[in-house]
């Protein structure tokens, strides 16, 4: 069923079958819905730590999944021996620059979560990369990703990014995480026709716009922004989960194309909307529920604030 969340942020994974929270060594390190991280899972880099040289770390040339988490690495170097590596995790280190990766042409996943990186650069050799995580760094711009045409999941959570840009070539992208940045405008997403999940929580966005081309989008999280009106979602026919809590929305409307023509067949599913006290219009036509002879009456009982059901106003 379609899920609409307008209340308190929830701790959940977008898809427990593996569609989200895949960064790093387990699936519990990211709260993708609102761009916030649990205090028990916050980045653990200690500022006073001094970096170590890579030549003090033993690398196995035959290893495909390389784990270099929290090793106090200060510089990426000496990875040339890892020609068989499919995944490399360098999270929670002291890395300042992305460099010396040209030999890792078979790499599928690169995790640089929680470092001190200021710029996305030197990634052009990683043409087979499918997942990149540079969350919890010091990025101000999205750049240097043009050659990553096979990338499916991009995590840039909790940086200092001010605008959405330079994603045109990422036509295979399925998940984009930009929570906890400084973004003000939703823009430059038209080419991302395969995008299924978009996370923009905890930014400075004031308007829902420029979403028309995202026909494959099933999950949209825009919690903790400055949205006052629901709009611009009429072409998101595949949207199943929408998260809007901690905004300035007063009336829920404009979801006519997103709540009908689904497979809702259980009246208990309407409990998802009970916390939406200002909900005045609901479209559930062409769902199995509509076949119930008491269809309109049951909606009125379940959602007392509703004044319009499908295209017809309620008469009192």
């Amino acid at each position: 069923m379609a899920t609409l969340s307008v209340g308190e942020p929830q701790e959940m994974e977008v898809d427990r079958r593996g569609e989200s929270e895949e960064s790093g060594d387990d699936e519990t390190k990211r709260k993708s819905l609102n761009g916030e991280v649990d205090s028990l899972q916050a980045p653990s880099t200690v500022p006073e730590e001094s970096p170590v040289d890579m030549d003090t770390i033993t690398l196995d040339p035959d290893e495909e999944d390389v784990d270099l988490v929290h090793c106090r690495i200060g510089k990426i170097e000496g990875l040339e021996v890892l020609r068989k590596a499919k995944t490399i995790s360098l999270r929670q280190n002291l890395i300042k620059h992305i460099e010396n990766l040209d030999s890792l042409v078979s790499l599928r996943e690169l995790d640089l979560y929680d470092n001190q990186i200021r710029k996305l650069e030197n990634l052009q050799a990683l043409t087979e990369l499918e997942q990149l995580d540079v969350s919890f760094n010091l990025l101000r711009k999205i750049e240097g990703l043009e050659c990553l045409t096979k990338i499916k999941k991009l995590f840039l959570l909790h940086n200092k990014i001010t605008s959405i840009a330079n994603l045109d070539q990422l036509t295979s992208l399925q998940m984009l995480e930009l929570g906890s940045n400084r973004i003000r405008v939703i823009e430059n997403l038209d080419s991302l026709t395969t995008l299924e999940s978009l996370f923009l929580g905890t930014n400075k966005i004031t308007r829902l716009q420029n979403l028309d081309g995202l026909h494959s989008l099933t999950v949209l999280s825009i919690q903790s922004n400055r949205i006052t009106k629901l709009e611009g979602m009429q072409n998101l026919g595949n949207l199943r989960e929408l998260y809007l809590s901690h905004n300035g929305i007063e009336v829920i409307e404009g979801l006519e194309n997103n709540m009908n023509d689904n497979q809702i067949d259980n009246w208990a599913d309407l409990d998802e909307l009970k916390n939406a006290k200002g909900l005045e219009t609901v479209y559930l036509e062409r769902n199995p529920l509509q076949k119930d002879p008491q269809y309109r009456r049951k909606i009125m009982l379940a959602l007392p604030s509703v004044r319009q059901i499908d295209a017809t106003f309620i008469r009192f």
Side-chain angles (χ1 to χ4, degrees):
M1 63 167 289
T3 299
L4 171 65
S5 173
V6 294
E8 292 298 314
Q10 304 175 40
E11 176 181 345
M12 65 168 288
E13 298 164 340
V14 175
D15 188 333
R16 297 185 185 274
R17 294 168 298 181
E19 185 54 35
S20 72
E21 302 198 7
E22 293 188 356
S23 169
D25 47 5
D26 60 61
E27 294 187 353
T28 61
K29 298 205 181 219
R30 179 183 292 103
K31 300 280 192 339
S32 289
L33 295 182
N34 62 0
E36 297 176 355
V37 172
D38 186 87
S39 58
L40 296 178
Q41 301 167 354
S44 58
T45 299
V46 180
E48 60 270 19
E49 284 185 315
S50 58
V52 302
D53 294 329
M54 281 294 297
D55 58 11
T56 65
I57 298 174
T58 302
L59 299 174
D60 182 354
D62 295 321
E63 185 64 54
E64 293 190 357
D65 300 313
V66 181
D67 187 345
L68 296 171
V69 175
H70 206 167
C71 294
R72 299 192 356 250
I73 296 169
K75 182 178 181 179
I76 301 175
E77 57 186 346
L79 302 184
E80 295 81 6
V81 299
L82 300 175
R83 295 184 181 275
K84 295 182 180 180
K86 302 297 183 183
T87 69
I88 295 181
S89 179
L90 287 160
R91 64 167 46 203
Q92 295 177 343
N93 281 289
L94 304 171
I95 298 167
K96 296 180 183 297
H97 303 285
I98 301 175
E99 56 189 337
N100 300 321
L101 299 174
D102 290 350
S103 63
L104 305 178
V105 293
S106 298
L107 200 63
R108 298 293 192 274
E109 297 182 14
L110 176 60
D111 189 341
L112 292 163
Y113 178 106
D114 189 12
N115 278 280
Q116 301 168 16
I117 298 168
R118 295 181 178 274
K119 185 177 182 180
L120 290 170
E121 58 185 342
N122 301 319
L123 295 166
Q124 59 271 14
L126 307 184
T127 55
E128 299 298 314
L129 202 67
E130 296 180 355
Q131 179 169 312
L132 174 63
D133 192 337
V134 199
S135 299
F136 281 89
N137 277 276
L138 303 171
L139 303 176
R140 293 184 179 275
K141 296 168 63 176
I142 302 174
E143 58 187 338
L145 304 177
E146 294 80 9
C147 295
L148 307 185
T149 55
K150 293 186 179 181
I151 196 164
K152 296 179 180 179
K153 297 174 184 178
L154 177 59
F155 300 93
L156 298 173
L157 174 74
H158 211 292
N159 279 280
K160 300 180 180 181
I161 297 169
T162 58
S163 62
I164 303 173
N166 301 317
L167 297 173
D168 293 349
Q169 305 302 315
L170 310 188
T171 54
S172 297
L173 199 63
Q174 296 175 0
M175 173 182 285
L176 177 59
E177 166 65 276
L178 285 168
S180 290
N181 278 285
R182 300 175 180 178
I183 297 167
R184 295 181 180 275
V185 179
I186 302 175
E187 58 186 343
N188 301 319
L189 297 174
D190 292 344
S191 64
L192 306 184
T193 55
T194 60
L195 194 67
E196 297 176 1
S197 302
L198 176 61
F199 300 95
L200 293 166
T202 316
N203 277 284
K204 300 180 180 182
I205 298 168
T206 59
R207 185 180 176 191
L208 285 168
Q209 60 184 342
N210 301 321
L211 297 169
D212 291 349
L214 305 183
H215 302 298
S216 300
L217 202 67
T218 60
V219 179
L220 174 60
S221 175
I222 194 159
Q223 300 185 86
S224 300
N225 275 279
R226 302 172 182 178
I227 305 295
T228 59
K229 180 181 179 182
L230 290 187
E231 58 185 339
M233 294 189 291
Q234 59 273 11
N235 291 328
L236 305 183
N238 290 312
L239 195 66
R240 296 179 63 85
E241 299 179 30
L242 175 61
Y243 300 93
L244 297 164
S245 67
H246 291 92
N247 277 285
I249 299 170
E250 296 182 354
V251 178
I252 298 177
E253 58 186 6
L255 296 176
E256 294 85 350
N257 294 345
N258 308 102
M259 297 190 69
N260 52 239
D261 292 286
N262 283 289
Q263 300 299 320
I264 302 173
D265 58 4
N266 190 333
W267 286 105
D269 290 337
L270 293 189
D271 291 344
E272 297 280 352
L273 300 176
K274 283 190 174 179
N275 289 329
K277 304 300 184 182
L279 185 63
E280 295 187 356
T281 302
V282 62
Y283 280 78
L284 292 169
E285 57 190 354
R286 293 185 295 279
N287 278 278
L289 289 183
Q290 193 180 27
K291 297 178 181 179
D292 191 316
Q294 302 295 315
Y295 169 69
R296 292 177 61 84
R297 179 174 176 274
K298 288 183 177 180
I299 293 177
M300 292 168 61
L301 291 173
L303 305 171
S305 64
V306 167
R307 296 293 178 266
Q308 178 181 334
I309 300 174
D310 301 331
T312 307
F313 286 97
I314 295 174
R315 293 182 179 180
F316 294 96

